Amino acid sequence: MKKILAIVLSLLLGLTFAGCGGDDANDGRTKIRISFFKAGFGDAWLQATAAEYEKLHPDIDIIIEGDESMDDLVRARFQAGPQSRNYPDIVSVTNYAYYHEFVRNGYLENLDSLYETEVEKGGEVAIEQFHITRLIVPQFNIRAGHIIVPVGLTNAHHEPINFFGTYRPEGETTILPSTWHENGLEFFGSFGKGYASFDYQAMIVAGLNANGFDRNTWIASGKQGIFEEDNFTSPGYVARLDYKGVPGLRIGASFYYCADAGSNSDKADTYSSTGKIPVRIYTADAQYRNKYVIARANMVYGNLGNSAKLSEANTKLSNKSPYSRITPIAKNVVSYAAEAGLNISAFFKGNKKVPVIYPFARYEYYNPQEKGEASQIMEKRCQVSMWTAGLNWYALPNLVVKADYTTRQIGTNKVFGTGKYNSENEFSIGIAYIGWFVKK
């Protein structure tokens, strides 16, 4: 395994999904098979790197295997079981959802710990994941620590190669914390087989803090973490189920419930006269991908209890507090979106000079002021209908250059047309790289 990880570090290209292999070749050398997503950039770069490594390590025989459908090929081999004797030692794929499935089933390296850091807006470095995982059987495993809360499509798959835009989908990130990560305990696993294959996650995490709820972002700013400790008086309960029985297709649903977000406030008596403030969030999402197309869709619906009294209480928070205090806070919110991209290089199979470029289009509607209680008047300017179109160029499997143009219509739910407020138009360009680092 140390030899495998050494190659990973030598390649410096995110080939970090390591299986336990390393068979001996007939000539006595250790054989290491690398399977990777091959598209318009070809495999000459990797073949050359492997050849140089073999010169430095003559006892190693590296076998390079590239394919445009490597995600599905690797998954099929793992599902075939050990008798297939066709497992890769290192695999680099583009669908990180499959990575989680492979780890849960014990096909990939058992990670004793994993952490992820990210530079958030303002230059702050935030630890998104820091946990200990115990893999028991494919059907039941345990994770404890600081973990991702997989509510919604973007939180469950928040890496930049898992959405087309230069920014994370605006609707979900407006009304939900993103990336949502909390201290807690998770139970997860996979069950079923063939066309009836499912993954599940069940969690108990630190609940939301009602101090952070406001008009423009609903509960998104209620994620704990402003101070050095979390209040666990009313925990959050999370459930997620993903269907993965059809190659290339994933259909998911998630649910979040916090019985009383008010009891997690910074001061215990802030909402003493308000009553309980329950939060319920329902989401559904889907993704389909093959070598020609990637399509995604998602929906979020949220319900907040006692929103009128909560709004009154939050307007009275100290002006020295870190919270916005902007009200009213809605009883119900909604967001839905769909996007699709076409892989141009797939239509030029065998031509290594054609780059991997996905032109795409995305529609999104969201409203953090969808509906209030009878006494509340909702802010119409929070209602947004928007289109985004652009290009994604995958210079490497885990390196993407993005450019897009967005137009937002304010104060309307029309797919086409304009609202009574000024529209917003912008052009964005960005570059994103994703890599995982493992240690046994």
Side-chain angles (χ1 to χ4, degrees), residues 101-355:
E101 176 187 341
F102 298 155
V103 171
R104 290 169 187 167
N105 286 281
Y107 300 132
L108 293 180
E109 181 72 2
N110 181 358
L111 303 183
D112 295 319
S113 63
L114 176 149
Y115 74 91
E116 178 182 347
T117 63
E118 177 170 314
V119 178
E120 303 285 0
K121 293 180 180 180
E124 174 182 316
V125 177
I127 296 179
E128 291 186 352
Q129 299 184 59
F130 194 95
H131 52 71
I132 296 175
T133 300
R134 174 60 177 170
L135 299 179
I136 303 172
V137 293
Q139 295 79 15
F140 183 79
N141 307 279
I142 301 174
R143 178 174 291 135
H146 200 71
I147 53 182
I148 295 293
V149 180
V151 175
L153 177 63
T154 304
N155 280 312
H157 308 280
H158 63 279
E159 298 90 351
I161 62 171
N162 288 326
F163 53 86
F164 284 123
T166 52
Y167 294 96
R168 290 173 179 168
E170 193 169 297
E172 283 192 321
T173 57
T174 295
I175 62 178
L176 300 178
S178 181
T179 301
W180 196 348
H181 45 94
E182 301 279 11
N183 292 320
L185 179 67
E186 175 184 0
F187 305 96
F188 65 93
S190 303
F191 62 93
K193 61 181 179 179
Y195 290 109
S197 298
F198 296 87
D199 286 351
Y200 76 89
Q201 294 171 268
M203 299 180 177
I204 303 174
V205 298
L208 292 165
N209 179 354
N211 289 158
F213 298 179
D214 67 14
R215 180 192 70 187
N216 297 334
T217 63
W218 198 50
I219 58 92
S221 299
K223 184 181 80 68
Q224 298 195 58
I226 291 179
F227 302 105
E228 294 183 355
E229 61 182 29
D230 289 346
N231 192 329
F232 226 90
T233 304
S234 182
Y237 300 93
V238 183
R240 182 173 179 87
L241 183 68
D242 286 298
Y243 169 74
K244 297 182 178 179
V246 177
L249 176 66
R250 183 192 69 242
I251 301 175
S254 63
F255 173 69
Y256 175 92
Y257 176 66
C258 179
D260 184 12
S263 65
N264 295 324
S265 63
D266 299 344
K267 296 181 179 179
D269 61 348
T270 302
Y271 305 104
S272 58
S273 61
T274 303
K276 289 188 176 181
I277 305 171
V279 180
R280 295 177 178 86
I281 303 171
Y282 311 83
T283 81
D285 56 77
Q287 173 182 277
Y288 178 74
R289 64 184 299 158
N290 57 31
K291 65 180 181 180
Y292 296 104
V293 66
I294 299 176
R296 303 182 183 95
N298 67 282
M299 182 278 293
V300 178
Y301 177 80
N303 178 272
L304 175 65
N306 245 333
S307 62
K309 290 185 177 181
L310 169 64
S311 298
E312 293 177 9
N314 277 12
T315 60
K316 299 175 183 177
L317 293 175
S318 170
N319 57 12
K320 295 182 180 180
S321 75
Y323 308 108
S324 74
R325 301 182 296 132
I326 300 175
T327 60
I329 305 165
K331 174 183 178 181
N332 297 126
V333 300
V334 67
S335 169
Y336 51 83
E339 66 179 10
L342 191 66
N343 182 7
I344 299 299
S345 69
F347 296 94
F348 299 88
K349 189 173 183 179
N351 189 342
K352 299 180 180 179
K353 295 183 179 180
V354 179

Side-chain angles (χ1 to χ4, degrees), residues 286-423:
Q287 173 182 277
Y288 178 74
R289 64 184 299 158
N290 57 31
K291 65 180 181 180
Y292 296 104
V293 66
I294 299 176
R296 303 182 183 95
N298 67 282
M299 182 278 293
V300 178
Y301 177 80
N303 178 272
L304 175 65
N306 245 333
S307 62
K309 290 185 177 181
L310 169 64
S311 298
E312 293 177 9
N314 277 12
T315 60
K316 299 175 183 177
L317 293 175
S318 170
N319 57 12
K320 295 182 180 180
S321 75
Y323 308 108
S324 74
R325 301 182 296 132
I326 300 175
T327 60
I329 305 165
K331 174 183 178 181
N332 297 126
V333 300
V334 67
S335 169
Y336 51 83
E339 66 179 10
L342 191 66
N343 182 7
I344 299 299
S345 69
F347 296 94
F348 299 88
K349 189 173 183 179
N351 189 342
K352 299 180 180 179
K353 295 183 179 180
V354 179
V356 183
I357 293 179
Y358 282 81
F360 75 92
R362 175 180 179 84
Y363 174 75
E364 193 162 6
Y365 170 81
Y366 66 92
N367 188 1
Q369 292 272 285
E370 184 71 13
K371 183 180 179 181
E373 295 185 5
S375 61
Q376 294 179 296
I377 299 175
M378 296 291 95
E379 174 56 73
K380 191 69 174 177
R381 290 174 297 179
C382 290
Q383 188 179 39
V384 177
S385 176
M386 59 185 287
W387 280 93
T388 301
L391 298 172
N392 279 199
W393 168 40
Y394 287 85
L396 292 172
N398 300 338
L399 177 66
V400 58
V401 179
K402 303 182 178 189
D404 57 47
Y405 176 80
T406 298
T407 178
R408 296 182 189 86
Q409 304 304 322
I410 310 300
T412 181
N413 59 2
K414 296 178 181 178
V415 177
F416 301 101
T418 61
K420 65 179 182 179
Y421 302 101
N422 292 336
S423 62

